[in-house]
Amino acid sequence: MVLKIGVIGTGAIGKDHIHRITNTLIGGEIVAVTDVSREQAEAVIESENLNAEIFEDGHALIQSSNVDAVIVTSWGPTHEEYVLASIAAGKPVFCEKPLATTAEGCKRIVDAELEHGKQLVQVGFMRRYDQGYRSLKKVVEESQVGSPLMLHCAHRNPNAPGFHGDMPITDSFVHEIDVLRWLLQDDYVSAQVIQPRRTRFANEGLQDPHIILLETKEGIRIDVEVFVNCQYGYDIQCQVVGDTGIANLPEPASVVVRKDAKLSSEILTDWRTRFIDAYDVEIQEWIDATLKGEMAGPSAWDGYVVSVTMDACVEAKESGKVIPVNLPECPSFYKKAKIEA
Ligand code: NAI
Ligand code: ISE
């Protein structure tokens, strides 16, 4: 059986997902696409040699009887309406981050899904599918380093040409918010943001780097350096300090060269390459689960929790204070899935 998929938004990541579904993964077929730029939609049909219909807009695509499931890869502010329309149509929907641009918007999606009575939404937090993070989670779960006490992390991009405002938090750090609570199976209670001396490579008016401090319900302290113009590469670090040992996120595999009295190995420069396997596993598992009528990945509730935490971080940055992360009780509807991928 094949899952007939419609894609809303054929920009950078939309094209990547279409490519992997068409060429790398099994069980899915792109039957419909739409983009506010029709040329863009036409171009992907041609480059991937798709037998897919182009729809006027996302709503028409969602309503099509030929579409079994929807992928939303349009701009963030459009996500909420397409996810809500997919739920109303009773169709499974994979939505790239952010689920919605406000916590209220995410909550509307959670409420619509609760009202519908079946889980239909998965959010694109792909790090949960990265082999390195999965191995690190196993080490934590098996208490191989004892009880986690602290996490030291870094999210570094070589540069961020289009970044402005709070994007280092809302566009980049969101991945840590999701993956670290999944890693620890713990929620956050407070956030604090420290703004070090600015790099001269940051866009005008952009604070870069940030040090973001989170505290969890269990009292674990997390520090994350978010540095989106670090120049040297795309570098994701995560170290768990437990009461009997320390565990590190593995480095991506790279040949070590000894030459000219130097020891060297390559550092990746692009998130696409760094997480390419994770994206493949993420979308394959989504197709497999959807074909079975299940939903197992990051849920609408997870998207909501990330949004509430992100808002606390933005407020912490603006105020310079420690800001509480106030989350309502997780509905039992979502508890059965724990914080699982
Ligand atoms: P992009 O700008 O390259 O592509 C977005 C596409 O959506 C454009 O072609 C645009 O014309 C189209 N679009 C916008 N509004 C639309 C609408 N109402 N209906 C149909 N098409 C519409 O952006 P990119 O980088 O592909 O990002 C898309 C989303 O994916 C963003 O929300 C972004 O945060 C997320 N993303 C997630 C990543 C991850 O690591 N999980 C990585 C990169 C992006
Ligand atoms: C980008 O939008 C992503 O989502 C990447 O995964 C992230 O690492 C990068 O910092 C963001 O700009």
Side-chain angles (χ1 to χ4, degrees):
M1 202 181 148
V2 168
L3 186 70
K4 291 190 279 175
I5 301 167
V7 177
I8 303 174
T10 54
I13 200 150
K15 275 193 283 195
D16 280 1
H17 288 337
I18 289 171
H19 181 78
R20 59 174 47 89
I21 289 167
T22 307
N23 300 284
T24 311
L25 311 182
I26 52 168
E29 183 189 349
I30 306 299
V31 297
V33 292
T34 184
D35 196 292
V36 284
S37 157
R38 194 179 168 93
E39 298 82 65
Q40 185 117 327
E42 283 168 352
V44 75
I45 287 188
E46 194 178 323
S47 64
E48 296 296 336
N49 197 18
L50 303 175
N51 182 18
E53 188 176 349
I54 300 184
F55 283 83
E56 272 316 299
D57 61 32
H59 292 284
L61 178 146
I62 292 164
Q63 293 307 323
S64 166
S65 58
N66 195 35
V67 170
D68 300 329
V70 180
I71 293 184
V72 179
T73 42
S74 46
W75 295 321
T78 67
H79 292 185
E80 181 184 346
E81 66 170 289
Y82 296 133
V83 174
L84 286 174
S86 301
I87 296 171
K91 295 193 180 178
V93 52
F94 175 93
C95 178
E96 265 307 337
K97 56 95 182 160
L99 177 59
T101 48
T102 61
E104 295 74 27
C106 293
K107 186 67 172 40
R108 281 191 284 276
I109 291 172
V110 164
D111 291 343
E113 199 175 41
L114 284 170
E115 174 82 23
H116 177 76
K118 185 171 187 281
Q119 226 172 303
L120 291 174
V121 181
Q122 178 166 330
V123 189
F125 290 125
M126 77 296 178
R127 288 203 196 170
R128 297 185 186 200
Y129 300 85
D130 174 67
Q131 193 47 56
Y133 274 111
R134 286 187 163 185
S135 303
L136 184 61
K137 185 166 192 280
K138 189 161 179 284
V139 166
V140 171
E141 277 172 359
E142 290 173 352
S143 300
Q144 289 187 39
V145 293
S147 300
L149 309 173
M150 296 177 281
L151 264 59
H152 306 302
C153 311
H155 183 143
R156 302 194 187 108
N157 294 16
N159 47 55
F163 270 40
H164 53 83
D166 295 317
M167 283 179 78
I169 296 173
T170 60
D171 198 67
S172 298
F173 179 63
V174 282
H175 287 289
E176 269 77 18
I177 299 179
D178 179 71
V179 81
L180 301 181
R181 68 184 276 276
W182 166 81
L183 181 73
L184 298 170
Q185 294 289 304
D186 198 0
D187 270 320
Y188 307 114
V189 293
S190 74
Q192 186 183 356
V193 176
I194 293 166
Q195 304 182 45
R197 180 184 183 191
R198 281 182 68 236
T199 165
R200 65 199 158 100
F201 296 106
N203 286 344
E204 206 184 323
L206 183 84
Q207 171 59 40
D208 187 38
H210 295 78
I211 299 169
I212 305 181
L213 305 171
L214 295 169
E215 183 183 4
T216 73
K217 278 186 183 163
E218 296 291 333
I220 301 166
R221 292 291 186 152
I222 300 171
D223 57 87
V224 184
E225 172 203 310
V226 182
F227 187 10
V228 297
N229 289 282
C230 81
Q231 305 299 302
Y232 73 85
Y234 180 74
D235 193 7
I236 302 299
Q237 300 286 328
C238 179
Q239 181 181 72
V240 179
V241 179
D243 51 14
T244 61
I246 287 174
N248 283 306
L249 180 70
E251 293 289 339
S254 172
V255 173
V256 178
V257 176
R258 287 172 155 81
K259 197 179 169 207
D260 297 336
K262 287 194 183 104
L263 195 61
S264 67
S265 61
E266 189 194 0
I267 296 178
L268 298 172
T269 55
D270 188 351
W271 46 265
R272 276 188 172 126
T273 336
R274 168 64 180 84
F275 287 110
I276 189 163
D277 294 339
Y279 290 114
D280 285 350
V281 177
E282 171 191 49
I283 301 292
Q284 185 65 67
E285 290 193 9
W286 176 71
I287 291 171
D288 294 347
T290 306
L291 283 171
K292 284 192 238 154
E294 294 167 3
M295 194 56 65
S299 66
W301 179 258
D302 295 323
Y304 170 64
V305 170
V306 168
S307 188
V308 170
T309 310
M310 192 177 81
D311 286 352
C313 293
V314 171
E315 190 183 338
K317 178 183 167 186
E318 280 162 6
S319 65
K321 294 185 179 149
V322 178
I323 300 296
V325 178
N326 293 317
L327 285 168
E329 177 70 13
C330 176
S332 55
F333 179 80
Y334 292 105
K335 274 188 187 152
K336 60 182 174 359
K338 286 174 61 196
I339 315 175
E340 279 167 1

